[in-house]
Amino acid sequence: MSMATRHPDARSSPPLPFSPLVPPRERMRYQQRTTPLLLKLVELDPREVIDGVMTPHGYLTADVTPVGPMREACPHCEGVALQLVLRHHHVNRSHLFCRVCTRVYDALNESGYSVLTI
């Protein structure tokens, strides 16, 4: 019976509390992706992040190839985008790298977990 031919006293059933097409867990993931993710940058000790040697002039490492610039900017350098460096060969931990001041950072979400770990 269509809505047009339905008797006026008949009421439709109440809506379901959860949509049957999208499970609650999937819906939560979707909401997390659409809301902006606020990250907290934490400076890391470069000796924990990449293999290298401490010299009087600073920490010396092999060349590292960053994946590309991120939306996060270095807190110490004005308007410099941080570069994402993934774990590979002598890089022990994925991190964000500033090409100007050579500091390394981890990005933590609101729960305190690193968003750079797999």
Side-chain angles (χ1 to χ4, degrees):
M1 178 186 286
S2 71
M3 290 295 286
T5 59
R6 202 175 211 181
H7 191 272
D9 291 347
R11 295 183 182 165
S12 61
S13 59
L16 297 174
F18 298 109
S19 172
L21 300 176
V22 181
R25 183 173 213 168
E26 292 294 324
R27 193 171 340 121
M28 286 174 49
R29 278 195 218 145
Y30 178 73
Q31 289 172 350
Q32 288 175 352
R33 278 189 239 127
T34 58
T35 58
L37 182 62
L38 301 175
L39 300 177
K40 177 181 173 185
L41 294 177
V42 177
E43 189 171 351
L44 300 172
D45 184 0
R47 295 174 289 193
E48 297 175 2
V49 176
I50 189 167
D51 294 334
V53 178
M54 185 59 80
T55 65
H57 302 290
Y59 194 64
L60 183 63
T61 65
D63 287 336
V64 177
T65 306
V67 175
M70 303 300 289
R71 68 179 174 133
E72 288 75 28
C74 179
H76 294 96
C77 303
E78 186 70 29
V80 177
L82 294 173
Q83 302 282 320
L84 174 63
V85 178
L86 297 176
R87 209 174 99 196
H88 187 67
H89 294 297
H90 52 276
V91 178
N92 302 326
R93 180 177 176 180
S94 298
H95 61 278
L96 299 174
F97 172 74
C98 179
R99 58 183 160 74
V100 176
C101 66
T102 66
R103 289 186 169 114
V104 293
Y105 298 93
D106 193 4
L108 305 178
N109 63 11
E110 294 168 347
S111 301
Y113 295 105
S114 176
V115 295
L116 302 176
T117 57
I118 297 174

